[in-house]
Amino acid sequence: MHEHATRTAHRGRRPAPSTITSELWLRARSPDAESHSGNAPATPPGKWLWFLPIRALDAGWRLVERAVKDGKLGPAAKVATLGNVFDGDQTRRPVVIFTGDCTDEGDVHRVLVALRTLGINDALAYKTDEATALGEYGNRVSLYTSPAGTTKVVRRTPRYAAPA
């Protein structure tokens, strides 16, 4: 369906990520993040990564988007649209849920528990924004993982070496 038609069909709601090819990402920000949007982060951000099959992408994104806007998760989230072509499995797209400080293990765990409370029970990986900036992707880059259906955070040693 054409993007304009999708917007009209949803009566002003943002179009679903599975219908968009003209943008790479859709984004959501928490109310707190909006008030600090002009400031550079003083702490290193990180993100939980949830890879969804395209057939489940719209419902998963609506769930995360609402929770972020309600202040229940981290400061922001984003979802890859169909216009976002990456080297991974083309039948899936990532939903990225940010935390404000990748070194704050308590907050990393709090966001994981909130995701599980929303019903997100898939295995999740957590990586730093620094790893992304260094071009590091793939299974061995995660700082933490969480096995499916648990609130357990497993610390990993990422394959990249952070600059001193």
Side-chain angles (χ1 to χ4, degrees):
M1 184 182 289
H2 186 271
E3 190 173 327
H4 175 71
T6 303
R7 281 196 179 108
T8 304
H10 290 278
R11 300 184 195 274
R13 275 190 10 201
R14 265 186 98 146
S18 71
T19 66
I20 297 173
T21 58
S22 61
E23 297 176 53
L24 299 180
W25 299 96
L26 293 180
R27 299 172 192 277
R29 296 180 69 76
S30 74
D32 186 49
E34 292 295 327
S35 66
H36 295 95
S37 61
N39 299 335
T43 56
K47 54 203 164 204
W48 282 106
L49 304 169
W50 180 30
F51 291 89
L52 282 172
I54 292 172
R55 72 183 182 293
L57 189 62
D58 299 340
W61 173 242
R62 279 191 303 271
L63 188 69
V64 168
E65 180 184 35
R66 174 57 33 218
V68 167
K69 289 180 177 181
D70 288 345
K72 295 178 181 175
L73 296 173
K78 66 182 183 178
V79 61
T81 68
L82 287 191
N84 193 322
V85 179
F86 59 101
D87 291 336
D89 180 349
Q90 291 300 304
T91 66
R92 295 179 169 272
R93 292 294 185 275
V95 177
V96 180
I97 302 97
F98 291 92
T99 66
D101 181 352
C102 69
T103 65
D104 183 345
E105 292 182 16
D107 191 51
V108 169
H109 187 256
R110 179 196 66 78
V111 172
L112 171 64
V113 169
L115 291 168
R116 297 302 191 212
T117 301
L118 291 173
I120 297 169
N121 291 313
D122 297 325
L124 301 173
Y126 184 91
K127 72 185 264 193
T128 64
D129 264 5
E130 179 180 38
T132 302
L134 292 171
E136 296 287 339
Y137 296 92
N139 292 334
R140 297 184 352 194
V141 176
S142 302
L143 183 59
Y144 305 111
T145 59
S146 181
T150 74
T151 58
K152 183 177 181 179
V153 176
V154 178
R155 182 179 256 294
R156 298 181 50 164
T157 303
R159 70 175 176 198
Y160 73 94

